[in-house]
Amino acid sequence: MRELNKVKGVGPKTYEKLKESSIDTIEDLLLYFPKNYKVQEIKSIHMARLNESISLSARILDKPKIFFFRKNLSKMTLNVFSEGQKFKVDIFNRHFLAKVLFKNVDIVVTGKFRKDFRSFLASEIVLKKNYKEGIIPEYKIKDIKDGRIRNIISNIFEQHFYISETLPDAILDKRNIDGIQEVVSYIQSIPDTDWFME
C-alpha cells in the first residue's frame, strides 16, 4: 500500500490539497518534515505570570456566553475553576465551541492572564480528553490543519509502512548512521504512538 489517497483520513478533498503542495505519495508526506515543533504541557495555575502564555487545566462552571460584535467577530466568555481559583476566560471567534463546552466539563485553556489573575485571554480551548501533551509537529500545509496531517501520518505508521533505504548497510554500519526509517519516525514524532520518542 503506497497510494496516499488510500490512507485513512485522506479523502478526495484532502488528497487534492496535498497534491497542490506537491505531496502525491506516502513517501512525499513522510518526507515533508515539520516546519516547527511546539511543546504542549499543562502547568499549575500557581506558575502563571501576567502576560505570559500558559496552558491550564480547568473545569467549566456555567454555560458560555457569546457576544457578536459584527459579522466576522465574536467573543465567547466562560467562567472556570482551576486548583481552587475561579477566573473568566475570553476567546475570540471560537463561538462554535460552545456546543461542547458544558458545565462541569474539563478543558485545557491556552493563553495569558491580562491585568490580573481573574481574566484570562485564551488563544485555544481544548477538551481535556483531547489534549495531547508532548512535542507536537507543525506542518503548515496550505488549507489543511496540522491535526489532520498528524492523524494521517499516525495512520501510516500504524500500517507499518516502511520507506526504502537508499544507503547500503555497510555505510550505515561503518558511520554508525540510523536508517531512513528511524530518522523519519523520529522527525515525525507523534505523541501517544510507539513512534513518539523524546
Side-chain angles (χ1 to χ4, degrees):
M1 188 271 291
R2 307 186 80 83
E3 295 86 357
L4 183 57
N5 61 337
K6 293 184 179 179
V7 174
K8 181 180 178 181
V10 182
K13 291 182 179 179
T14 300
Y15 184 54
E16 288 303 317
K17 290 175 182 177
L18 287 169
K19 290 204 300 182
E20 289 174 7
S21 295
S22 300
I23 301 171
D24 297 304
T25 66
I26 290 176
E27 289 95 334
D28 289 340
L29 182 56
L30 293 181
L31 295 174
Y32 188 96
F33 297 144
K35 301 297 184 185
N36 190 30
Y37 294 89
K38 66 177 179 179
V39 178
Q40 291 192 166
E41 179 184 7
I42 298 173
K43 295 186 177 180
S44 168
I45 194 170
H46 304 296
M47 298 175 66
R49 300 292 181 268
L50 291 179
N51 297 310
E52 291 184 10
S53 184
I54 191 170
S55 294
L56 303 171
S57 175
R59 177 162 292 182
I60 300 174
L61 294 176
D62 47 33
K63 183 179 178 181
K65 296 178 181 178
I66 301 172
F67 307 90
F68 289 93
F69 300 100
R70 52 179 184 268
K71 184 178 180 181
N72 296 319
L73 181 62
S74 66
K75 182 176 79 168
M76 182 170 64
T77 298
L78 56 157
N79 295 306
V80 302
F81 179 86
S82 178
E83 297 182 71
Q85 297 188 39
K86 296 179 181 180
F87 57 94
K88 180 184 73 170
V89 175
D90 291 326
I91 189 167
F92 289 92
N93 294 332
R94 296 290 194 281
H95 56 272
F96 54 87
L97 294 175
K99 61 185 178 182
V100 295
L101 300 180
F102 304 110
K103 182 178 179 180
N104 293 326
V105 167
D106 291 321
I107 58 175
V108 176
V109 293
T110 299
K112 302 176 182 180
F113 284 103
R114 295 176 289 179
K115 296 180 181 180
D116 53 42
F117 291 98
R118 295 190 299 271
S119 180
F120 188 90
L121 179 61
S123 58
E124 185 177 28
I125 296 177
V126 180
L127 295 178
K128 189 172 183 180
K129 65 180 182 180
N130 295 335
Y131 187 84
K132 306 296 183 184
E133 292 191 270
I135 301 172
I136 311 297
E138 297 181 309
Y139 298 90
K140 301 181 181 179
I141 297 175
K142 184 180 179 182
D143 296 329
I144 306 178
K145 293 182 178 180
D146 286 335
R148 178 176 289 274
I149 297 298
R150 291 194 292 267
N151 286 337
I152 293 169
I153 291 175
S154 180
N155 291 336
I156 292 171
F157 285 155
E158 286 177 1
Q159 295 298 313
H160 303 292
F161 177 86
Y162 288 92
I163 300 174
S164 299
E165 184 58 66
T166 56
L167 293 176
D169 289 342
I171 293 179
L172 295 175
D173 293 338
K174 182 178 180 180
R175 298 187 178 275
N176 195 25
I177 301 172
D178 288 331
I180 190 170
Q181 186 71 27
E182 289 75 19
V183 172
V184 169
S185 65
Y186 183 83
I187 292 173
Q188 301 286 16
S189 296
I190 308 294
D192 294 338
T193 75
D194 293 336
W195 299 87
F196 181 54
M197 291 176 277
E198 294 187 84

